[in-house]
Amino acid sequence: MLKRMSRRFIGAAMAAITAVVLVLLCCLNLWNYRGVADQLDSTLDLLAAADGSWPDFALQQPAPPRGGGPFSGEMPYMIRFFAVHYDAGGNITGIDHDFIASVSEEEAAAYAAGALAGGRTRGFYKGYRYLVRGDGGAKSVIFLNAERELGAVRSLLATTAAVAALCLAAVFILVLLLARRAVKPYM
């Protein structure tokens, strides 16, 4: 009977601690993912305002002071993006890929077709965050390279999962060692 009571205590303690750790792990990683997506969307909105190219005003402004504004003066040199423009009939009217070296015009057209097939206005497609912007029948699909940011999200997920597993193992050992003390008064 004592063994059964000890096992129930261990099971209940581990279930409660595991639930708390999993909620914490999910909240932390979802918060990080949402923050990264919002930052990428802010950059896409800036690019969309300039019809899929880097805005001239952003290149001419001096860098904001540290901690000021969402974009630094280095932003034009750090991001890689391309845009595919369509007319009202769905035909490609232009591809801007001056700010990316790893994507050809054919690949850009294929990426845009894939993103449009999903039917969403924002999302991720093959390591890029995209935005579909359209007025009337004409539309543009702007892609922003997000591989570095997605790598950081995956790295945080792997790190937090490993730390959570180690913490749960340590708590299990402690609960296992202390379980006899917890049920001893019932003996």
Side-chain angles (χ1 to χ4, degrees):
M1 172 146 162
L2 183 61
K3 280 188 177 184
R4 191 167 32 143
M5 185 182 277
S6 179
R7 285 184 187 147
R8 284 185 179 174
F9 174 77
I10 292 169
M14 287 308 299
I17 292 169
T18 301
V20 169
V21 168
L22 286 177
V23 167
L24 182 64
L25 182 80
C26 290
C27 289
L28 177 68
N29 283 285
L30 287 173
W31 175 72
N32 180 51
Y33 175 81
R34 189 72 241 151
V36 166
D38 287 345
Q39 184 180 15
L40 292 169
D41 286 342
S42 295
T43 305
L44 278 170
D45 290 338
L46 181 69
L47 294 171
D51 292 325
S53 63
W54 191 255
D56 290 334
F57 70 85
L59 293 172
Q60 295 169 354
Q61 288 181 340
R66 283 188 189 259
F71 304 109
S72 74
E74 296 297 319
M75 182 63 87
Y77 308 104
M78 294 171 53
I79 68 168
R80 299 290 172 246
F81 66 93
F82 62 94
V84 180
H85 306 284
Y86 292 89
D87 63 11
N91 301 313
I92 294 177
T93 59
I95 297 176
D96 297 327
H97 67 304
D98 294 338
F99 286 89
I100 196 160
S102 62
V103 177
S104 68
E105 286 191 9
E106 294 79 22
E107 289 171 318
Y111 281 27
L116 289 173
R120 298 178 56 201
T121 58
R122 292 184 190 266
F124 286 98
Y125 187 81
K126 295 189 177 184
Y128 292 88
R129 182 78 174 165
Y130 70 86
L131 167 67
V132 178
R133 182 174 170 253
D135 47 350
K139 63 177 77 171
S140 296
V141 185
I142 305 167
F143 289 86
L144 178 63
N145 187 312
E147 291 171 337
R148 180 178 51 204
E149 290 83 357
L150 291 175
V153 167
R154 286 185 204 104
S155 176
L156 180 67
L157 176 62
T159 301
T160 55
V163 168
L166 288 173
C167 288
L168 287 174
V171 167
F172 178 72
I173 291 170
L174 288 172
V175 168
L176 197 59
L177 293 173
L178 298 175
R180 283 192 181 235
R181 272 194 176 161
V183 296
K184 194 172 188 177
Y186 295 106
M187 282 180 61

